Amino acid sequence: DSAMLWTRAAAPGELSLEVAESGDFKDAPSLPSGKVGEDTDLTAKVVVGGLKAGTEYHYRFRAGGEVSPAGTFRTAFAAGDRREVTLGFTGDADWKWKPYPLLSTLAKEKLDLFVFLGDLIYETRNLRGTASAESLDEYRWKYRENREPRPGTTLTEVPMH
């Protein structure tokens, strides 16, 4: 009956979330807004409750006058509701392997969930592996390098945890 949504804003400020069953966001409830700043690397995590089981929802974030591209998610099926669930997983997503051909294949599979298992953020900051991330800011940069979705890539099409 809930979902956790994450985003990263382009700049510090107020951020709000809209969630609706239809893609036109008609009658989307007003959800509490929050602030993002440099201390959180401009990221926000929002838990949305009161959702229906086994239902597809559309969501988008607003910051200032900007509106993010809409995304979708499906809530878990109700307890006792026996349905097939398609799961994919992998590990080892070093930035040197971008644009991750595996994700292009997974986007065609209509997965219910995809899970990255470990080895997602490598500490090296160059192709030779001679420079390492050592500070929180450097590790945040490595995370963005590896995981931040790029428009038009499969990172925006595959539901991930």
Side-chain angles (χ1 to χ4, degrees):
D1 69 345
S2 67
M4 181 183 301
L5 301 171
W6 292 66
T7 193
R8 184 168 189 276
E14 289 286 322
L15 185 74
S16 62
L17 171 66
E18 295 177 337
V19 176
E21 288 185 49
S22 64
D24 63 7
F25 292 90
K26 185 177 181 181
D27 301 323
S30 296
L31 298 172
S33 63
K35 288 188 177 187
V36 294
E38 299 297 333
D39 60 323
T40 62
D41 196 33
L42 306 177
T43 60
K45 173 178 72 171
V46 181
V47 177
V48 181
L51 303 175
K52 299 176 191 172
T55 303
E56 181 177 81
Y57 287 92
H58 301 262
Y59 69 94
R60 64 186 177 191
F61 289 90
R62 291 183 177 271
E66 301 292 319
V67 179
S68 74
T72 60
F73 66 91
R74 179 175 298 280
T75 54
F77 297 116
D81 188 356
R82 297 187 180 271
R83 301 234 186 143
E84 185 174 298
V85 175
T86 307
L87 172 71
F89 64 91
T90 191
D92 295 330
D94 197 338
W95 63 274
K96 293 179 278 193
W97 303 333
K98 274 186 152 178
Y100 308 133
L102 169 73
L103 294 182
S104 296
T105 301
L106 291 175
K108 298 172 188 169
E109 295 296 323
K110 303 294 184 201
L111 298 174
D112 293 303
L113 179 66
F114 176 74
V115 181
F116 264 119
L117 302 171
D119 291 343
L120 181 58
I121 304 299
Y122 290 79
E123 73 283 353
T124 56
R125 296 186 301 150
N126 63 26
L127 290 173
R128 295 181 310 280
T130 57
S132 297
E134 296 180 14
S135 70
L136 178 59
D137 285 341
E138 289 171 340
Y139 272 97
R140 284 177 169 170
W141 184 85
K142 289 295 299 178
Y143 185 85
R144 288 191 307 272
E145 177 183 58
N146 245 28
R147 290 292 309 276
E148 192 166 78
R150 307 291 192 267
T153 67
T154 53
L155 281 175
T156 61
E157 298 171 14
V158 178
M160 292 185 205
H161 179 70

